[in-house]
Amino acid sequence: MSAQAQMKVSDQVAISIENMNKWYGTFHVLRDIDLTVYQGERIVIAGPSGSGKSTLIRCINALEEHQKGRIEVDGTVLSSDLKNIDKIRSEVGMVFQHFNLFPHLTILENLTLAPIWVRKTPKAEAEEVAMHYLEKVKIPEQADKYPGQLSGGQQQRVAIARSLCMKPRIMLFDEPTSALDPEMIKEVLDTMIELAEEGMTMLCVTHEMGFARQVANRVIFMDAGQIVEQNEPEEFFNNPKSDRTKLFLSQILGH
Amino acid sequence: MADTSQYAFVRHEMLPEQSPPASEQGIIKWLRENLFSSWFNSILTLVSIFFIYKIVSGAWPWVTNGIWSTSSLAECREVLDGATGACFSVLTERWNQLLFGFQYPNDAYWRPTLAFVLLAFAAAPVLFNKLPRKMLIFTGLYPFIAFWLIWGGTILTPVMVLVGLMVGFLAFQRLEQQSFAMGMLGGIVAAVVAIWLGGFVSSALPGFLAFEAVPSRDMGGFMLNLILGVVCVSLSLPIGILLALGRQSDMLIIKWICVMFIEFIRGVPLITLLFVANVVLAYFLPPGTNFDLILRVIIMITMFSSAYIAEVIRGGLAALPQGQYEAADSLGLDYAQSMRLIILPQALKISIPGIVNVAVGLFKDTTLVSVISMFDLVGMIRGPVLSSTEWNGVYWELWGFAVLLFFVVCYGISQYSQWLERQLQTDHR
């Protein structure tokens, strides 16, 4: 219980998930998920493939529908009401494994699109904000290029900047480095570390255990659609409780 | 500068550039690579040259000896006196009939001509997005101007329709804040009522800024093909987009309506739809109603091609990675925004070749109206021109002319679409 208390960065709840269940047809992908994320927390979700990690965070911004249970994001309860869903989505940024930049728009247009159309920000202001975030991810010189002209690492940094332009209160990362060449992983992780240091609430599905050790204040291990174990990174890596976690860690840290 | 004296050999100046050997440049290289790269290809080349020579040398005198200024085929034969030669006089003598039909008032030919010249200005900002966006205002007004020019009558008729549509749009904007369906319904009702009321105004003042009115049955010639082609293509594209989106919709009733419409229309030959428009519809309408024939035909052709365009666009939508939908959603864009800004621009780009295919096919299919006794270009040639005593028997010249007109338009559309595809090429693969 004291561990739980230490994990808290603040008392303000950012996301609360209660007894959430999801099925694909008859396949039970997520089982009785209970999770409370506090404002400013950095959570890494690990687990074998098919364990439901991605599905879990995709439920948070309603890219996937959950069939049972309750999800509350930043004070708004996720229901089938489209207005609520759009509100939550504009507060929650998401970064995808395959970047999903809009190939028909320039980098700058990718960044300003949502602020202009969703937030109704004036164009000049949106561009100013966009350039600010492009500088932050260290590629302001690419603003007028198209996504197809950028390397994978650069594209992923643009994708992060695109989410940040909406000034989200929470960021979700769905395996952001899995589709990248090894030498590009670092530049994306550096961007994420910087973001974490600024106090952004983050949920990352990732296999980068170094990142988890360095940045996370909680690591969640999932298997077969359930949260098997969660703990501070030090405890999690050095003193895993469940056998399943031990096996997983031995496999990914073993070489 | 590094000291280079220790090395045995150092070149001090660049060698002059030399031109490649004579056999590796210019025309000779091109000929060698493309026409005579092997003995088999050389034979093929020679055989092809022989056939091309035979065709051109046969057709050349026919074209160059062509007669342009006689008044009948018999006169042509007299002038030619047994020599090979075309009788192009039919084109010069029947020029206006071929272009405008045989009933359009002679002194009003300038009206459709002007309408088609203006069409170039109206279409330009749609086709080339580098042009100033303000030109789109003229594009919006163009249908009303063109209607007034071609059909004549008082200018109040199209103006009242325009006013009615504006009233409908305003009503839509007002009511849309409550709900989209409410806005649509209110907008349509307001537009219909306003147009109906406007009808009284225009029928009370039939002479206000009026041209001589030309009824639809007097339209003909290539003008009719162009009217049908332009109107139907520009209507069926937006309708096709809506059908394609409707077919993907989560709302079951909308989805089923779209699926049934598309599958039914695609399963029926266009020619039967035209017969329905021409004959069968009259049985269903109350006796005495005069439902314009061209309007009926436009509705049928538009339904037909919009079903095809919907399927082409559905292919484009399906080709987009799911991630594009998810990225748009995750940024908080609503359905209309994500479709308009993210999905459709990409899906339509993928669909360009297919859409152009349908558009070109549609334009050529407008000649089918000749079988429901409308006198489009083909109808004119088959009917009034070929069956006249003067020009009975002039086939090559007339059909060649029809082929040329259609080819020029269709090839132009095709070239434009290829240019557009290059313009939209941003993925740098």
Coordinates of all heavy atoms in Angstrom, one line a residue, chain A residues 45-125:
Chain A
I45 N 3.4 0.2 -20.1 CA 2.7 -1.1 -20.1 C 3.5 -2.1 -21.0 O 3.8 -1.8 -22.1 CB 1.3 -0.9 -20.8 CG1 0.5 0.2 -20.0 CG2 0.5 -2.2 -20.7 CD1 -0.8 0.6 -20.6
A46 N 3.8 -3.2 -20.3 CA 4.6 -4.2 -21.0 C 3.8 -5.5 -21.0 O 2.8 -5.7 -20.3 CB 5.9 -4.4 -20.3
G47 N 4.3 -6.4 -21.8 CA 3.6 -7.7 -21.9 C 3.8 -8.4 -23.2 O 4.2 -7.7 -24.2
P48 N 3.6 -9.7 -23.3 CA 3.8 -10.4 -24.6 C 2.8 -9.9 -25.6 O 1.8 -9.3 -25.3 CB 3.5 -11.9 -24.2 CG 2.7 -11.8 -23.0 CD 3.1 -10.6 -22.2
S49 N 3.0 -10.2 -26.9 CA 2.1 -9.7 -27.9 C 0.8 -10.5 -27.8 O 0.8 -11.6 -27.4 CB 2.7 -9.9 -29.3 OG 2.7 -11.3 -29.6
G50 N -0.3 -9.8 -28.1 CA -1.6 -10.4 -27.9 C -2.1 -10.3 -26.5 O -3.2 -10.9 -26.2
S51 N -1.4 -9.6 -25.6 CA -1.9 -9.6 -24.2 C -2.9 -8.5 -24.0 O -3.5 -8.4 -22.9 CB -0.7 -9.4 -23.3 OG 0.0 -8.2 -23.6
G52 N -3.1 -7.7 -25.0 CA -4.2 -6.6 -24.8 C -3.7 -5.3 -24.4 O -4.5 -4.4 -24.1
K53 N -2.3 -5.1 -24.5 CA -1.8 -3.8 -24.1 C -2.3 -2.6 -25.0 O -2.8 -1.6 -24.5 CB -0.2 -3.7 -24.2 CG 0.5 -5.0 -23.8 CD 2.0 -4.9 -24.0 CE 2.4 -5.0 -25.5 NZ 2.3 -6.3 -26.1
S54 N -2.1 -2.9 -26.3 CA -2.6 -1.8 -27.2 C -4.1 -1.6 -27.1 O -4.6 -0.5 -27.1 CB -2.2 -2.2 -28.7 OG -0.8 -2.2 -28.9
T55 N -4.8 -2.7 -27.1 CA -6.3 -2.6 -27.0 C -6.7 -1.7 -25.8 O -7.6 -0.9 -25.8 CB -6.9 -4.0 -26.9 OG1 -6.3 -4.8 -27.9 CG2 -8.4 -3.9 -27.1
L56 N -5.9 -1.9 -24.6 CA -6.3 -1.2 -23.4 C -6.1 0.3 -23.7 O -7.1 1.1 -23.4 CB -5.3 -1.6 -22.3 CG -5.4 -0.8 -21.0 CD1 -6.8 -0.8 -20.4 CD2 -4.4 -1.3 -20.0
I57 N -5.0 0.7 -24.2 CA -4.9 2.2 -24.4 C -5.7 2.7 -25.5 O -6.1 3.9 -25.5 CB -3.4 2.7 -24.5 CG1 -2.8 2.2 -25.8 CG2 -2.6 2.3 -23.3 CD1 -1.5 3.0 -26.1
R58 N -6.1 1.9 -26.5 CA -7.0 2.3 -27.5 C -8.4 2.5 -27.0 O -9.2 3.2 -27.6 CB -6.9 1.4 -28.7 CG -5.6 1.5 -29.5 CD -5.3 0.3 -30.3 NE -6.4 0.1 -31.3 CZ -6.3 0.6 -32.5 NH1 -5.3 1.4 -32.9 NH2 -7.3 0.4 -33.4
C59 N -8.7 1.8 -25.9 CA -10.0 2.0 -25.3 C -10.1 3.4 -24.6 O -11.2 3.9 -24.5 CB -10.3 0.9 -24.3 SG -10.8 -0.7 -25.0
I60 N -9.0 3.9 -24.2 CA -9.0 5.1 -23.4 C -9.5 6.3 -24.3 O -10.2 7.2 -23.9 CB -7.6 5.4 -22.8 CG1 -7.4 4.3 -21.7 CG2 -7.6 6.8 -22.2 CD1 -6.0 4.3 -21.2
N61 N -9.1 6.3 -25.6 CA -9.6 7.4 -26.5 C -10.7 6.8 -27.4 O -10.9 7.4 -28.5 CB -8.5 8.1 -27.2 CG -7.8 7.3 -28.2 OD1 -7.9 6.1 -28.2 ND2 -6.9 8.0 -29.0
A62 N -11.3 5.7 -27.1 CA -12.4 5.2 -27.8 C -12.1 4.8 -29.2 O -13.0 4.8 -30.1 CB -13.6 6.1 -27.7
L63 N -10.9 4.5 -29.6 CA -10.6 3.9 -30.9 C -11.2 2.5 -30.9 O -11.5 2.0 -31.9 CB -9.1 3.9 -31.2 CG -8.5 5.3 -31.6 CD1 -7.0 5.1 -32.0 CD2 -9.2 5.9 -32.7
E64 N -11.2 1.9 -29.7 CA -11.9 0.6 -29.6 C -13.0 0.8 -28.5 O -12.8 1.6 -27.6 CB -10.9 -0.5 -29.0 CG -9.7 -0.7 -29.8 CD -9.9 -1.6 -31.0 OE1 -11.0 -2.1 -31.1 OE2 -8.9 -1.8 -31.8
E65 N -14.1 0.1 -28.8 CA -15.2 0.2 -27.9 C -15.1 -0.8 -26.8 O -14.7 -2.0 -27.1 CB -16.5 -0.1 -28.7 CG -17.6 0.9 -28.5 CD -18.7 0.5 -29.4 OE1 -18.5 0.0 -30.5 OE2 -19.9 0.7 -29.0
H66 N -15.4 -0.5 -25.5 CA -15.4 -1.5 -24.5 C -16.8 -1.9 -24.3 O -17.7 -1.1 -24.4 CB -14.7 -1.0 -23.2 CG -15.4 0.2 -22.6 ND1 -15.2 1.4 -23.1 CD2 -16.2 0.3 -21.5 CE1 -16.0 2.3 -22.4 NE2 -16.6 1.6 -21.4
Q67 N -17.0 -3.1 -23.9 CA -18.4 -3.6 -23.8 C -19.0 -3.5 -22.4 O -20.1 -3.5 -22.1 CB -18.6 -5.0 -24.3 CG -18.7 -5.1 -25.8 CD -17.4 -5.1 -26.6 OE1 -16.4 -5.6 -26.1 NE2 -17.4 -4.4 -27.7
K68 N -18.0 -3.5 -21.4 CA -18.5 -3.5 -20.0 C -17.6 -2.7 -19.2 O -16.4 -2.6 -19.4 CB -18.6 -5.0 -19.5 CG -19.4 -5.2 -18.3 CD -19.5 -6.7 -18.0 CE -19.4 -6.8 -16.4 NZ -18.9 -8.1 -16.0
G69 N -18.1 -2.0 -18.1 CA -17.2 -1.3 -17.2 C -17.3 0.2 -17.5 O -18.0 0.7 -18.3
R70 N -16.4 0.9 -16.8 CA -16.5 2.4 -16.8 C -15.1 3.0 -17.1 O -14.2 2.6 -16.4 CB -17.1 2.8 -15.5 CG -17.4 4.3 -15.4 CD -18.1 4.5 -14.1 NE -18.5 5.9 -13.9 CZ -17.6 6.8 -13.4 NH1 -16.4 6.4 -13.1 NH2 -18.0 8.1 -13.3
I71 N -15.1 3.9 -18.0 CA -13.8 4.6 -18.2 C -14.1 6.1 -18.1 O -15.0 6.6 -18.7 CB -13.2 4.4 -19.6 CG1 -13.0 2.9 -19.8 CG2 -12.0 5.2 -19.8 CD1 -12.4 2.6 -21.2
E72 N -13.3 6.8 -17.2 CA -13.5 8.2 -17.1 C -12.1 8.9 -17.3 O -11.1 8.5 -16.8 CB -13.9 8.5 -15.6 CG -14.4 9.9 -15.5 CD -14.8 10.2 -14.0 OE1 -15.5 9.3 -13.4 OE2 -14.5 11.3 -13.5
V73 N -12.2 9.8 -18.3 CA -10.9 10.4 -18.7 C -11.1 11.9 -18.4 O -12.0 12.6 -18.9 CB -10.6 10.2 -20.2 CG1 -9.3 10.9 -20.6 CG2 -10.6 8.8 -20.5
D74 N -10.2 12.4 -17.5 CA -10.2 13.8 -17.2 C -11.6 14.4 -16.8 O -12.0 15.4 -17.3 CB -9.6 14.6 -18.4 CG -8.8 15.8 -18.0 OD1 -8.3 15.7 -16.9 OD2 -8.7 16.7 -18.8
G75 N -12.3 13.6 -16.1 CA -13.6 14.0 -15.6 C -14.8 13.7 -16.6 O -15.9 14.0 -16.2
T76 N -14.5 13.2 -17.8 CA -15.5 12.9 -18.7 C -15.7 11.4 -18.8 O -14.8 10.7 -19.0 CB -15.2 13.5 -20.1 OG1 -14.8 14.8 -20.0 CG2 -16.4 13.4 -21.0
V77 N -17.0 11.0 -18.6 CA -17.2 9.5 -18.7 C -17.4 9.1 -20.2 O -18.1 9.8 -20.9 CB -18.5 9.1 -17.9 CG1 -18.7 7.6 -18.1 CG2 -18.3 9.5 -16.5
L78 N -16.6 8.1 -20.6 CA -16.7 7.6 -21.9 C -18.0 6.9 -22.2 O -18.2 5.8 -21.6 CB -15.5 6.8 -22.2 CG -15.0 6.5 -23.6 CD1 -14.7 7.8 -24.3 CD2 -13.8 5.7 -23.6
S79 N -18.8 7.4 -23.0 CA -20.0 6.7 -23.4 C -20.1 6.7 -24.9 O -19.2 7.1 -25.6 CB -21.2 7.4 -22.8 OG -21.3 8.7 -23.3
S80 N -21.3 6.3 -25.4 CA -21.4 6.2 -26.9 C -21.7 7.6 -27.4 O -21.9 7.8 -28.6 CB -22.4 5.2 -27.3 OG -23.6 5.5 -26.7
D81 N -21.9 8.6 -26.5 CA -22.2 10.0 -27.0 C -21.0 10.5 -27.8 O -19.9 10.7 -27.2 CB -22.5 10.9 -25.8 CG -22.9 12.3 -26.2 OD1 -22.8 12.5 -27.4 OD2 -23.2 13.1 -25.3
L82 N -21.2 10.8 -29.1 CA -20.1 11.3 -29.9 C -19.4 12.6 -29.4 O -18.2 12.7 -29.6 CB -20.6 11.5 -31.4 CG -20.9 10.2 -32.1 CD1 -21.4 10.5 -33.5 CD2 -19.6 9.3 -32.3
K83 N -20.2 13.4 -28.8 CA -19.7 14.7 -28.3 C -18.6 14.5 -27.2 O -17.6 15.1 -27.2 CB -20.8 15.6 -27.8 CG -21.6 16.2 -29.0 CD -21.9 17.7 -28.7 CE -22.6 18.3 -30.0 NZ -24.0 18.1 -30.1
N84 N -19.0 13.5 -26.3 CA -18.1 13.2 -25.3 C -16.8 12.6 -25.8 O -15.7 12.8 -25.4 CB -18.7 12.1 -24.3 CG -19.5 12.8 -23.2 OD1 -19.4 14.0 -23.1 ND2 -20.2 12.1 -22.4
I85 N -17.0 11.7 -26.8 CA -15.8 11.0 -27.4 C -14.9 12.0 -28.0 O -13.7 12.0 -27.8 CB -16.3 9.9 -28.4 CG1 -17.0 8.8 -27.7 CG2 -15.1 9.4 -29.2 CD1 -17.5 7.7 -28.6
D86 N -15.5 12.9 -28.8 CA -14.6 13.9 -29.5 C -13.9 14.8 -28.5 O -12.8 15.2 -28.6 CB -15.5 14.8 -30.4 CG -15.7 14.1 -31.7 OD1 -15.0 13.1 -32.0 OD2 -16.7 14.4 -32.5
K87 N -14.6 15.1 -27.3 CA -14.0 15.9 -26.3 C -12.8 15.2 -25.7 O -11.7 15.8 -25.6 CB -15.0 16.3 -25.2 CG -14.5 17.1 -24.1 CD -15.6 17.7 -23.2 CE -15.1 18.6 -22.1 NZ -14.3 17.8 -21.1
I88 N -13.0 13.9 -25.4 CA -11.9 13.2 -24.8 C -10.7 13.1 -25.8 O -9.6 13.3 -25.4 CB -12.4 11.8 -24.4 CG1 -13.3 11.9 -23.1 CG2 -11.2 10.8 -24.1 CD1 -13.9 10.6 -22.7
R89 N -11.1 12.8 -27.0 CA -10.0 12.6 -28.0 C -9.2 13.9 -28.2 O -8.0 13.9 -28.5 CB -10.6 12.2 -29.4 CG -11.0 10.8 -29.4 CD -11.7 10.4 -30.7 NE -12.0 9.0 -30.7 CZ -12.8 8.5 -31.6 NH1 -13.5 9.3 -32.4 NH2 -13.1 7.2 -31.6
S90 N -9.8 15.1 -28.1 CA -9.1 16.3 -28.2 C -8.2 16.6 -27.0 O -7.3 17.4 -27.1 CB -10.0 17.5 -28.6 OG -10.9 17.7 -27.5
E91 N -8.5 15.9 -25.9 CA -7.7 16.1 -24.7 C -6.6 15.1 -24.6 O -5.7 15.2 -23.7 CB -8.6 16.0 -23.4 CG -9.7 17.0 -23.3 CD -9.2 18.4 -23.2 OE1 -8.1 18.6 -22.7 OE2 -9.9 19.3 -23.6
V92 N -6.7 14.0 -25.3 CA -5.8 12.9 -25.2 C -5.0 12.7 -26.5 O -5.6 12.5 -27.6 CB -6.6 11.6 -24.9 CG1 -5.6 10.4 -24.8 CG2 -7.4 11.7 -23.6
G93 N -3.7 12.9 -26.5 CA -2.9 12.7 -27.7 C -2.6 11.2 -27.9 O -2.4 10.5 -26.9
M94 N -2.4 10.8 -29.1 CA -2.0 9.4 -29.3 C -0.9 9.4 -30.4 O -1.0 10.0 -31.4 CB -3.2 8.6 -29.8 CG -2.9 7.2 -30.0 SD -4.3 6.1 -29.5 CE -3.5 4.5 -29.5
V95 N 0.1 8.5 -30.1 CA 1.1 8.3 -31.1 C 1.1 6.8 -31.5 O 1.0 5.9 -30.6 CB 2.5 8.7 -30.4 CG1 3.6 8.3 -31.4 CG2 2.5 10.1 -30.1
F96 N 1.1 6.6 -32.8 CA 0.9 5.2 -33.2 C 2.2 4.5 -33.6 O 3.2 5.2 -33.9 CB 0.0 5.2 -34.5 CG -1.4 5.8 -34.2 CD1 -1.6 7.1 -34.3 CD2 -2.4 4.9 -33.9 CE1 -2.9 7.6 -34.1 CE2 -3.7 5.4 -33.7 CZ -3.9 6.8 -33.8
Q97 N 2.2 3.2 -33.7 CA 3.4 2.5 -34.1 C 3.8 2.9 -35.5 O 5.0 3.1 -35.8 CB 3.0 1.0 -34.1 CG 4.2 0.1 -34.5 CD 3.8 -1.4 -34.4 OE1 2.7 -1.7 -34.0 NE2 4.8 -2.2 -34.7
H98 N 2.8 3.0 -36.4 CA 3.2 3.4 -37.8 C 2.9 4.9 -38.1 O 2.6 5.2 -39.3 CB 2.4 2.5 -38.8 CG 2.7 1.0 -38.6 ND1 3.9 0.5 -39.1 CD2 2.1 0.0 -38.1 CE1 4.0 -0.8 -38.8 NE2 2.9 -1.1 -38.2
F99 N 3.1 5.7 -37.2 CA 3.1 7.2 -37.3 C 1.7 7.7 -37.7 O 1.2 8.7 -37.1 CB 4.2 7.7 -38.2 CG 5.4 6.9 -38.3 CD1 6.0 6.6 -39.5 CD2 6.0 6.3 -37.2 CE1 7.1 5.8 -39.7 CE2 7.1 5.5 -37.3 CZ 7.7 5.2 -38.5
N100 N 1.2 7.2 -38.8 CA -0.1 7.6 -39.3 C -0.1 9.1 -39.6 O -1.1 9.8 -39.3 CB -1.2 7.2 -38.4 CG -1.4 5.7 -38.3 OD1 -0.8 5.0 -39.1 ND2 -2.2 5.3 -37.4
L101 N 0.9 9.6 -40.1 CA 0.9 11.0 -40.6 C 0.0 11.1 -41.8 O -0.2 10.1 -42.5 CB 2.3 11.6 -40.9 CG 3.2 11.6 -39.7 CD1 4.6 12.1 -40.2 CD2 2.7 12.6 -38.7
F102 N -0.5 12.3 -42.1 CA -1.3 12.4 -43.3 C -0.5 12.7 -44.5 O 0.1 13.8 -44.7 CB -2.4 13.5 -43.1 CG -3.2 13.3 -41.9 CD1 -3.3 14.4 -40.9 CD2 -3.8 12.1 -41.6 CE1 -4.0 14.2 -39.8 CE2 -4.5 11.9 -40.4 CZ -4.6 13.0 -39.5
P103 N -0.3 11.7 -45.4 CA 0.7 11.8 -46.5 C 0.4 12.9 -47.5 O 1.3 13.3 -48.2 CB 0.7 10.5 -47.2 CG -0.6 9.9 -46.8 CD -1.0 10.4 -45.5
H104 N -0.9 13.4 -47.6 CA -1.2 14.4 -48.6 C -1.0 15.8 -48.1 O -1.2 16.8 -48.8 CB -2.6 14.2 -49.1 CG -3.7 14.4 -48.0 ND1 -3.7 13.6 -46.8 CD2 -4.7 15.2 -47.9 CE1 -4.7 14.0 -46.0 NE2 -5.3 15.0 -46.7
L105 N -0.6 15.9 -46.8 CA -0.4 17.3 -46.3 C 1.1 17.4 -45.9 O 1.8 16.5 -45.6 CB -1.2 17.4 -45.0 CG -2.7 17.3 -45.2 CD1 -3.4 17.4 -43.8 CD2 -3.3 18.3 -46.1
T106 N 1.6 18.7 -45.9 CA 2.9 19.0 -45.5 C 3.0 18.8 -44.0 O 2.0 18.6 -43.3 CB 3.4 20.4 -45.8 OG1 2.5 21.3 -45.0 CG2 3.2 20.7 -47.3
I107 N 4.3 18.7 -43.5 CA 4.5 18.5 -42.0 C 3.7 19.6 -41.3 O 3.0 19.3 -40.3 CB 6.0 18.6 -41.7 CG1 6.7 17.5 -42.4 CG2 6.2 18.5 -40.2 CD1 6.2 16.1 -42.2
L108 N 3.9 20.9 -41.7 CA 3.2 22.0 -41.0 C 1.7 21.8 -41.0 O 1.0 22.0 -40.0 CB 3.6 23.3 -41.6 CG 3.3 24.5 -40.8 CD1 4.0 24.5 -39.5 CD2 3.6 25.8 -41.6
E109 N 1.2 21.4 -42.2 CA -0.3 21.2 -42.3 C -0.8 20.1 -41.4 O -1.8 20.1 -40.8 CB -0.7 21.0 -43.7 CG -0.6 22.2 -44.6 CD -0.7 21.9 -46.1 OE1 -0.4 20.7 -46.5 OE2 -1.0 22.8 -46.9
N110 N 0.1 19.0 -41.3 CA -0.3 17.9 -40.4 C -0.4 18.4 -39.0 O -1.3 18.0 -38.2 CB 0.9 16.9 -40.4 CG 0.6 15.7 -41.4 OD1 -0.1 14.8 -41.0 ND2 1.1 15.8 -42.6
L111 N 0.5 19.3 -38.6 CA 0.5 19.8 -37.2 C -0.7 20.8 -36.9 O -1.2 20.9 -35.8 CB 1.8 20.5 -36.9 CG 2.9 19.6 -36.2 CD1 3.2 18.4 -37.1 CD2 4.1 20.4 -35.8
T112 N -1.0 21.6 -37.9 CA -2.0 22.7 -37.7 C -3.4 22.3 -37.9 O -4.3 22.9 -37.5 CB -1.7 23.9 -38.5 OG1 -1.7 23.5 -39.9 CG2 -0.4 24.6 -38.2
L113 N -3.6 21.1 -38.6 CA -4.9 20.7 -39.0 C -5.9 20.6 -37.8 O -7.0 21.3 -37.8 CB -4.9 19.4 -39.7 CG -6.2 18.9 -40.3 CD1 -6.2 19.0 -41.8 CD2 -6.4 17.4 -39.9
A114 N -5.6 19.8 -36.8 CA -6.5 19.7 -35.7 C -6.7 20.9 -34.9 O -7.8 21.3 -34.6 CB -6.1 18.5 -34.8
P115 N -5.6 21.7 -34.6 CA -5.9 22.9 -33.9 C -6.8 23.9 -34.6 O -7.7 24.5 -34.0 CB -4.5 23.6 -33.7 CG -3.5 22.4 -33.7 CD -4.2 21.4 -34.6
I116 N -6.6 24.0 -35.9 CA -7.5 24.9 -36.7 C -8.9 24.4 -36.7 O -9.8 25.2 -36.5 CB -6.9 25.0 -38.1 CG1 -5.6 25.8 -38.1 CG2 -8.0 25.7 -39.0 CD1 -4.9 26.0 -39.5
W117 N -9.1 23.1 -37.0 CA -10.5 22.6 -37.2 C -11.2 22.2 -35.9 O -12.4 22.4 -35.8 CB -10.5 21.5 -38.2 CG -10.2 21.9 -39.6 CD1 -8.9 22.0 -40.1 CD2 -11.1 22.5 -40.6 NE1 -9.0 22.5 -41.4 CE2 -10.3 22.8 -41.7 CE3 -12.4 22.7 -40.6 CZ2 -10.9 23.4 -42.8 CZ3 -13.0 23.2 -41.7 CH2 -12.2 23.5 -42.8
V118 N -10.5 21.7 -35.0 CA -11.1 21.2 -33.7 C -11.1 22.3 -32.7 O -12.1 22.6 -32.1 CB -10.4 20.0 -33.2 CG1 -11.1 19.5 -31.9 CG2 -10.5 18.9 -34.2
R119 N -10.0 23.0 -32.5 CA -9.9 24.0 -31.5 C -10.2 25.4 -32.0 O -10.3 26.4 -31.3 CB -8.4 24.1 -31.0 CG -8.0 22.9 -30.2 CD -8.0 23.2 -28.7 NE -7.3 22.2 -28.0 CZ -7.9 21.1 -27.5 NH1 -9.2 21.0 -27.7 NH2 -7.3 20.2 -26.8
K120 N -10.4 25.5 -33.4 CA -10.8 26.8 -34.0 C -9.7 27.9 -33.7 O -10.0 29.0 -33.6 CB -12.1 27.3 -33.5 CG -13.3 26.3 -33.5 CD -13.7 25.9 -34.9 CE -14.8 24.8 -34.9 NZ -14.8 24.0 -36.1
T121 N -8.4 27.4 -33.7 CA -7.3 28.4 -33.5 C -7.1 29.1 -34.8 O -7.2 28.5 -35.9 CB -6.0 27.6 -33.1 OG1 -6.3 26.6 -32.2 CG2 -5.0 28.5 -32.6
P122 N -6.8 30.4 -34.8 CA -6.5 31.1 -36.0 C -5.2 30.5 -36.6 O -4.4 30.0 -35.9 CB -6.2 32.6 -35.6 CG -6.9 32.7 -34.2 CD -6.9 31.3 -33.6
K123 N -5.2 30.5 -38.0 CA -4.1 29.8 -38.7 C -2.7 30.3 -38.3 O -1.9 29.4 -38.0 CB -4.3 30.0 -40.2 CG -3.5 29.1 -41.0 CD -3.9 29.2 -42.5 CE -2.9 28.3 -43.3 NZ -2.3 29.0 -44.4
A124 N -2.6 31.6 -38.2 CA -1.2 32.1 -37.9 C -0.8 31.6 -36.5 O 0.4 31.2 -36.3 CB -1.2 33.6 -37.9
E125 N -1.7 31.6 -35.5 CA -1.4 31.2 -34.2 C -1.0 29.7 -34.2 O -0.1 29.2 -33.6 CB -2.5 31.5 -33.3 CG -2.2 31.4 -31.8 CD -3.5 31.5 -31.0 OE1 -4.3 32.3 -31.3 OE2 -3.6 30.8 -30.0

